[in-house]
Amino acid sequence: MAIDIRPLKGAFVGEVSGVDIAKPLTKGDVAAIEAGMDKYAVLVFHGQKITDDEQMAFTRNFGAIEEARNVSVLKPEEVRLVTGMNDVSNLDKEGRPRARDDRQRLFGLGNSLWHSDSSFKPTPAKYSILSARIVNPKGGNTEFADMRAAYDALDDETRREIEDLVCEHSLLVSRGSLGFEVTEEERRGFSVARQRLVRTHPVSGRKSLYLSSHAGSILGMPTPEARLLLRDLVEHATQPQFVYVHKWALHDLVIWDNRQTMHRVRRYDESQPRDMRRTTVAGDGPTVIQQAAA
Ligand SMILES: [Fe+2]
């Protein structure tokens, strides 16, 4: 069985067939998927019924698994999944949908804002791998925006203006924009990371906008001016021609390259379960020198 990748949306999203993710992959399979990621940035797999261990084993083919520390407001005893798995469900430890005023639910609503995973970390994520274990009956699509195509469509003047800009990203910015209030302890736990606004893909050499709702300031620019520029760029980058909408089916698995895309989840019926489990491949290193420790 050879891996085949069929375009679903231009050179942005590919649909993969001919591979069973639950089984160990050959070197050829891994190379074909990596080449697909370099070309497309989002790959969709159907009918992949996998366990958490199988998902983590699949993920390690592409690099180290990123640690999921200080990325939620869950206390250690409330964590539902094993280390290495990111819980992006609406479920508590007993498997019940969280109450409307549940803090973790309200924190998780930030995933409905356009973002790139872990852009608030000094070494941001490379790939995210999301497995649909329970699909919600209503809504819950994930939308992806092609930040390479969005960059390509900028005028020359804007490209020159933003080429060397550096943003500061923090979970406090995205959550704060929804009015979510954090405790002092949580505030101290959330990192602030500097990221280039324009990234270059290490293999294809294509440039892309590196945007995220976690970005709240630009070095050397007054904050209101920076936030307006960032809003303008997000508005530009998320126009329909750059966006793919994924409607989840049970046991779908989607991989996206956080260096070249943004994504968001749309609202769904929160009285019903939605069990989505993410693993994350750590990036190679920072996009820019971080602030020296005080
Ligand atoms: Fe995300």
Side-chain angles (χ1 to χ4, degrees), residues 111 115 117 256 263 278:
N111 290 324
H115 66 283
D117 288 333
W256 64 90
H263 62 280
R278 194 184 95 202

Side-chain angles (χ1 to χ4, degrees), residues 10-233:
F12 179 36
V13 183
E15 185 181 51
V16 184
S17 56
V19 64
D20 179 357
I21 280 171
K23 300 208 175 89
L25 265 56
T26 65
K27 275 190 180 159
D29 291 338
V30 175
I33 293 169
E34 279 186 332
M37 288 301 293
D38 290 340
K39 178 179 175 186
Y40 290 100
V42 180
L43 291 179
V44 174
F45 303 68
H46 300 293
Q48 303 289 341
K49 188 168 188 254
I50 52 171
T51 64
D52 290 351
D53 283 343
E54 288 162 351
Q55 182 170 342
M56 287 189 284
F58 173 73
T59 303
R60 287 190 197 98
N61 286 306
F62 308 104
I65 292 181
E66 185 186 273
E67 262 194 79
R69 270 193 312 159
N70 293 331
V71 293
S72 78
V73 292
L74 282 179
K75 297 185 175 68
E77 65 272 18
E78 295 171 331
V79 173
R80 193 172 70 102
L81 305 180
V82 298
T83 302
M85 300 296 299
N86 279 73
D87 191 357
V88 279
S89 75
N90 65 339
L91 305 174
D92 64 17
K93 223 176 165 182
E94 280 72 47
R96 295 171 305 209
R98 292 178 178 277
R100 189 172 195 180
D101 61 353
D102 181 288
R103 285 192 86 236
Q104 177 62 19
R105 168 188 177 258
L106 298 175
F107 185 83
L109 291 180
N111 290 324
S112 295
L113 302 171
W114 284 109
H115 66 283
S116 175
D117 288 333
S118 304
S119 72
F120 48 83
K121 292 188 176 183
T123 293
K126 183 184 177 190
Y127 300 159
S128 289
I129 298 174
L130 192 58
S131 163
R133 309 294 179 86
I134 299 175
V135 174
N136 192 263
K138 190 176 154 200
N141 295 338
T142 302
E143 298 181 346
F144 297 92
D146 187 346
M147 307 303 280
R148 306 161 305 178
Y151 177 86
D152 291 344
L154 292 172
D155 59 59
D156 290 343
E157 191 184 337
T158 308
R159 284 191 211 173
R160 273 196 299 276
E161 184 191 350
I162 67 171
E163 177 69 29
D164 293 316
L165 293 182
V166 173
C167 303
E168 288 185 313
H169 295 233
S170 166
L171 274 166
L172 295 170
V173 174
S174 53
R175 272 48 187 177
S177 75
L178 291 181
F180 183 86
E181 288 173 16
V182 296
T183 64
E184 252 329 292
E185 192 185 347
E186 287 164 351
R187 181 180 298 277
R188 283 194 297 272
F190 292 138
S191 57
V192 177
R194 292 182 171 183
Q195 308 291 358
R196 292 187 57 87
L197 182 49
V198 178
R199 296 184 73 167
T200 304
H201 190 272
V203 176
S204 69
R206 287 187 74 180
K207 287 188 176 176
S208 58
L209 285 169
Y210 192 45
L211 293 166
S212 192
S213 62
H214 309 310
S217 53
I218 297 175
L219 297 187
M221 193 181 283
T223 299
E225 185 184 337
R227 291 206 178 182
L228 274 177
L229 174 58
L230 291 169
R231 278 192 197 196
D232 278 354
L233 291 171

